[in-house]
Amino acid sequence: MTRTAPPFRADHVGSLLRPPELAAARAANKAGTLPADALAPLLEMAQRKPWWDSVDSLVKTVGKLVQQTPALVDRMDQLIVDEDFWLRRIALLHQLGWGEATDRKRLFRYCLQQAGEKEFFIRKAIGWALRDYARHA
């Protein structure tokens, strides 16, 4: 039986509890003190906790890292063809909120590369990335 009223099971509220390392990375990101070498542990976290709430919580942090360290864009180019669709989702969404700074060609290339993907979370990411670009660029 599925509950539709409180009390919910613990796995229903699990998305509200962020891992401490994510909270620390987000705080460092906000303060502008997150080093470029933090990217690898963030991507590992996405693979350890592969669900939309964990992965989407990383997107802006990863995006800011890429903006601050343009050499990391090469890693995004690798992720867009990765076997792990959660990592591809990060690559698709890392430019959210960049507005005029969005690398339009890269965004469109990523979307076209993933256009045939049947995975819901990739299809949703394509729509989200394109809507964000259309609204803010």
Side-chain angles (χ1 to χ4, degrees), residues 6-26:
F8 297 107
R9 291 177 17 154
D11 57 343
H12 292 158
V13 297
S15 65
L16 301 176
L17 306 172
R18 301 286 181 232
E21 61 265 33
L22 174 57
R26 290 173 76 177

Side-chain angles (χ1 to χ4, degrees), residues 5-104:
F8 297 107
R9 291 177 17 154
D11 57 343
H12 292 158
V13 297
S15 65
L16 301 176
L17 306 172
R18 301 286 181 232
E21 61 265 33
L22 174 57
R26 290 173 76 177
N29 185 42
K30 188 172 183 179
T33 59
L34 193 64
D37 63 1
L39 181 62
L42 291 174
L43 297 176
E44 289 170 15
M45 187 185 329
Q47 292 179 299
R48 280 194 324 271
K49 298 185 178 292
W51 193 240
W52 69 267
D53 60 340
S54 302
V55 171
D56 290 359
S57 296
L58 296 170
V59 167
K60 287 195 177 189
T61 302
V62 169
K64 188 169 180 182
L65 275 176
V66 173
Q67 265 189 319
Q68 292 172 344
T69 311
L72 293 178
V73 78
D74 292 340
R75 184 66 177 123
M76 296 298 107
D77 289 345
Q78 294 168 355
L79 294 182
I80 197 63
V81 294
D82 197 276
E83 195 174 283
D84 185 334
F85 74 83
W86 293 111
L87 295 180
R88 292 195 318 264
R89 183 173 170 91
I90 290 171
L92 278 164
L93 297 176
H94 82 275
Q95 295 187 83
L96 287 179
W98 284 20
E100 290 293 327
T102 299
D103 182 339
R104 188 177 64 196

Side-chain angles (χ1 to χ4, degrees), residues 107-121:
L107 172 63
F108 295 162
R109 180 168 37 93
Y110 285 5
C111 291
L112 286 171
Q113 283 179 299
Q114 298 299 310
E117 176 64 61
K118 300 293 183 216
E119 172 57 51
F120 168 80
F121 289 105

